[in-house]
Amino acid sequence: MATRKTAAKPNVSADELKTYYHDMLLIRRFEEKAGQLYGMGLIGGFCHLYIGQEAVVVGLEAAADEGDKRVTSYRDHGHMLACGMDPNGVMAELTGREGGYSKGKGGSMHMFSKEKNFYGGHGIVGAQVPIGTGLAFADKYLGNDRVSFAYFGDGAANQGQVYESFNMAAVWKLPVIFVIENNQYAMGTSQKRSTSSPEIYKRGEPFGIPGEIVDGMDVLAVKAAGEKAVAHCRSGEGPYILEVKTYRYRGHSMSDPAKYRTREEVQNMREKHDPIEHIRQMLIDGKHATEEDLKEIDKSIKDVVNKSADFAKESPEPALDELWTDIYADVAPQDEDA
Amino acid sequence: MPTQVLMPALSPTMEEGTLAKWLVKEGDTVSSGDILAEIETDKATMEFEAVDEGVIGKILVSEGTEGVKVNDPIAIMLEEGESADDIDDDAAAPAPAADSAPDGKAPAEAEKPKGADAAPLEIKSNASPDWPEGTELQTQTVREALRDAMAEEMRADDTVYLMGEEVAEYQGAYKVSQGLLDEFGDKRVVDTPITEHGFAGLAVGAAFGGLKPIVEFMTFNFAMQAMDQIINSAAKTLYMSGGQMGAPMVFRGPNGAAARVAAQHSQDYAAWYAHIPGLKVVMPYSASDAKGLLKSAIRDPNPVIFLENELMYGHSFDVPVMDDFTIPFGKARIWKEGKDVTIVSFGIGMKYALEAAEKLAEEGIDAEVIDLRTLRPLDYDTVLASVMKTNRCVTVEEGFPVASIGNHLSAVIMERAFDYLDAPVLNCTGKDVPMPYAANLEKHALITTDEVIEAVKKVTYR
Ligand SMILES: Cc1ncc(C[n+]2csc(CCOP(=O)(O)OP(=O)(O)O)c2C)c(N)n1
Ligand SMILES: [Mg+2]
């Protein structure tokens, strides 16, 4: 683990801190609820929770601007909530209902929002990295100053297409931030068992891509690094790599017994490095908020999450016709005179 | 208000489990994330965490209880300030229907995994037995049979090794390689990084170099990353080198739809691979076929695609107790003889074929059911002989309809047995859509036993 940076503390406002606290806690409570619904059989298939990693996406979204794009893997619930997607729509997709973002057809791993520039939700490890690079290619081509975030895991970092992407992004100076969410495990394989040199952020060096390692349990450090990366990309300097060190508290997916690590290891992260607890302490210690204020936030989040669960249970299953829709986009009618 | 703690579903295919151990006792205060109990699922022992904080008021299911159904109450939680006296009888009763889907059926019930861990089917093969009469039989799951096949071949030949994601220390993502690391060590049971194109290509090189790799894909969906090495390197090199060198190796892993894992994780590749000259393609249904065919695949001097199915891993079948049991490629198995119609299938399609045959028998339609077992080579003779007898044929597979194995069989039957046909050959397949996630849509995307029955009635004009 990188050591905790608190350097960013002085210039953060109370409101900002409260926002981060709220956004991270929303993800955590949402994921706990999703785990519960999975246990009840209301969610099926694969379901990968983001608990423990909340600071990564909340910090980077704080550095992003309107119109910036993001794409990630199957561990995507946190990204969707952090970029402003509606918890009801996300939860209803988890239960496979009509009210879900993909009308119930995508499920936990495959959700998208054109409105929020969220490009999924991808199940094949590493496949989202060239896609994120392509989002940036399109922005450069179209001549706007948008930046794309391509999120992937420490395990995905061993896929060849990641390095093919690095090369193209560097050659064509594409405005893409490669975000490696290094939670130290790829399913049951610890990073040290699979990876020759553990410092993934340095892997851009031969391509001329600057990289940085960031404490992913500290939302302020993530935001600061994100701002630097965004500025670099937006000014036309090309891609940037952020290796964000984080930790997932739960198993890889709902069916992972997680015997490859000790309970102590997990407890230690939870008790000493929890990203939400960290901000909570800053709020209390800095007298930016009282216990009562925070209880208020907790309660409002609980309401939102409970509502999303109710919505996800009550939303009807998709109509059977939906099986046959969205396979092809409609072709615009040809103008006969043309 | 006291709340129920329900038996959780801890894997996509779990319907019930064993409450192995309680890690809390009545009166304990727990907070979110604390481990409450250890639960054995169909695949593993899992820790079950508390979601809310509270006090354990009452334990309803004692440890060691087997067969606890998902969603049965297993304990009662109290909030701060409540006592065990607050527990009324309602709280200990089965879960209310409030959490059910709009149609009043709980989704867990509505989308039962397709036959996971069901009892062995009644119909027994009565034609060309794969083992001598009187051979001792043992009941084994497909999972165990596959593991034994690999272990036996690894004992017999030390150039055979296994590589793939999570095959060693994790004991296999679906527990097929359980115990192999212990027996053979990490030189021969190799955990790889997530880099399918890389390790598939590396294994092709290792095969050129004198080894006999078994490459496990966590699922065949991920083999698409490695497709170029499988087709362009493994399948074609013997030909391109004028017979000097080839790739004696096996690519294996689960193929086809599992349960609710959506479009990118649910696809049957049987027809894809069967298209390629230079590959052999195996897709077993029963445990004895899984064992006998995998052993043959490992010995075969060609690249073999061995397509398993996650939903079949837990199914039990009779497997002969023999020192060295193999099944040759290119020999179909007749599971049931019949005179009215030929139903041809393979892999998990056999489940629908056999169920349909059983129901059709009740209606007086006597179907012959053929399991192809290998798609390359394919036992055309057995299929044709049967069609010449019954004059009707229905094919059953899980894959997409266009350019399916059924399409191919229809063409071959038309060419070689046209005059024997009393009806067009019908192909039952999965629907022509990516696999949806929603429970109700998934059910409709998959092939069903009823569709097979309907097709048989069409070709028999009933
Ligand atoms: C190409 C491919 N291979 C294998 C898998 C199965 N799989 C899903 S997630 C995963 C581990 C990925 O780990 P990492 O990239 O570190 O991401 P994390 O799950 O830790 O967020 C594996 C092997 C897959 N989905 N796609
Ligand atoms: Mg990881």
Side-chain angles (χ1 to χ4, degrees), chain B residues 134-359:
Chain B
T135 305
E136 187 193 338
L137 297 174
Q138 60 173 337
T139 303
Q140 266 197 322
T141 61
V142 172
R143 181 183 276 117
E144 291 161 344
L146 291 166
R147 194 242 354 254
D148 286 359
M150 288 193 281
E152 287 176 19
E153 293 307 299
M154 288 175 77
R155 277 173 214 136
D157 179 349
D158 33 285
T159 63
V160 178
Y161 78 96
L162 172 68
M163 78 189 311
E165 292 158 20
E166 311 288 359
V167 296
E169 290 193 17
Y170 201 82
Q171 310 290 323
Y174 297 99
K175 300 285 170 272
V176 173
S177 54
Q178 188 123 41
L180 296 184
L181 175 66
D182 280 350
E183 181 174 351
F184 299 102
D186 60 8
K187 179 181 166 194
R188 299 183 66 195
V189 184
V190 183
D191 275 330
T192 64
I194 309 170
T195 168
E196 288 84 3
H197 197 205
F199 68 72
L202 182 151
V204 173
F208 289 173
L211 303 184
K212 292 188 183 140
I214 306 171
V215 175
E216 175 175 310
F217 291 115
M218 192 176 284
T219 77
F220 261 94
N221 304 289
F222 316 141
M224 280 207 284
Q225 297 280 322
M227 207 49 133
D228 179 70
Q229 291 291 2
I230 298 171
I231 313 284
N232 267 329
S233 306
K236 298 179 182 172
T237 298
L238 184 70
Y239 192 79
M240 295 189 300
S241 69
Q244 294 178 71
M245 65 173 79
M249 62 195 303
V250 178
F251 297 98
R252 52 155 287 273
N255 164 66
R260 306 286 309 280
V261 293
Q264 292 186 330
H265 285 76
S266 315
Q267 193 164 323
D268 172 15
Y269 292 92
W272 284 52
Y273 290 109
H275 188 64
I276 303 299
L279 292 179
K280 293 194 177 180
V281 182
V282 183
M283 189 150 154
Y285 167 63
S286 72
S288 60
D289 287 351
K291 182 169 185 190
L293 290 167
L294 183 53
K295 282 167 66 79
S296 296
I298 294 167
R299 291 178 199 182
D300 198 285
N302 295 286
V304 179
I305 304 288
F306 196 91
L307 302 168
E308 301 160 9
N309 191 296
E310 185 196 335
L311 299 174
M312 293 302 300
Y313 282 148
H315 276 248
S316 294
F317 293 85
D318 285 341
V319 177
V321 182
M322 286 166 68
D323 280 347
D324 189 20
F325 167 64
T326 59
I327 293 177
F329 288 0
K331 182 167 169 256
R333 171 173 179 184
I334 299 171
W335 274 76
K336 174 184 176 303
E337 281 181 324
K339 59 180 194 327
D340 295 333
V341 60
T342 302
I343 303 179
V344 186
S345 189
F346 51 93
I348 197 166
M350 284 299 296
K351 193 174 107 44
Y352 307 106
L354 290 170
E355 275 172 15
E358 211 165 346
K359 288 196 180 150

Side-chain angles (χ1 to χ4, degrees), chain A residues 49-113:
Chain A
L49 302 182
Y50 198 63
I51 296 177
Q53 302 184 205
E54 297 90 345
V56 181
V57 80
V58 169
L60 288 172
E61 284 296 338
D65 261 352
E66 195 66 30
D68 289 345
K69 302 182 166 80
R70 62 281 292 161
V71 64
T72 188
S73 70
Y74 44 84
R75 196 179 301 286
D76 55 357
H77 312 165
H79 302 70
M80 294 188 279
L81 296 176
C83 74
M85 286 168 67
D86 177 9
N88 287 5
V90 179
M91 198 66 99
E93 190 58 41
L94 294 181
T95 54
R97 304 297 173 85
E98 189 181 273
Y101 267 99
S102 304
K103 310 178 201 164
K105 299 206 273 194
S108 163
M109 300 187 287
H110 312 300
M111 274 182 253
F112 305 80
S113 167

Side-chain angles (χ1 to χ4, degrees), chain A residues 162-211:
Chain A
V162 170
Y163 301 94
E164 299 176 24
S165 301
F166 282 7
N167 185 47
M168 289 185 285
V171 171
W172 296 325
K173 283 207 183 322
L174 303 180
V176 53
I177 303 174
F178 297 108
V179 183
I180 299 136
E181 295 198 57
N182 185 349
N183 61 12
Q184 302 164 50
Y185 292 90
M187 215 171 245
T189 304
S190 66
Q191 206 208 344
K192 58 179 173 303
R193 291 207 298 120
S194 67
T195 304
S196 60
S197 64
E199 293 161 312
I200 307 176
Y201 69 100
K202 288 190 180 164
R203 291 195 193 170
E205 267 173 28
F207 300 93
I209 307 175

Side-chain angles (χ1 to χ4, degrees), chain A residues 1-9 24 28 52-56 213-222 245-247 249 268-282 285:
Chain A
M1 247 6 263
T3 51
R4 173 147 295 177
K5 289 198 200 108
T6 40
K9 190 156 52 168
M24 291 195 289
R28 178 149 314 172
Q53 302 184 205
E54 297 90 345
V56 181
I213 189 153
V214 188
D215 178 358
M217 305 308 266
D218 179 354
V219 69
L220 301 177
V222 175
K245 285 270 208 173
T246 181
Y247 199 80
Y249 295 177
N268 178 53
M269 290 304 296
R270 282 188 159 174
E271 282 160 18
K272 304 213 177 94
H273 300 275
D274 188 71
I276 300 176
E277 198 48 40
H278 172 58
I279 294 300
R280 186 189 158 80
Q281 276 311 318
M282 283 182 73
D285 293 351

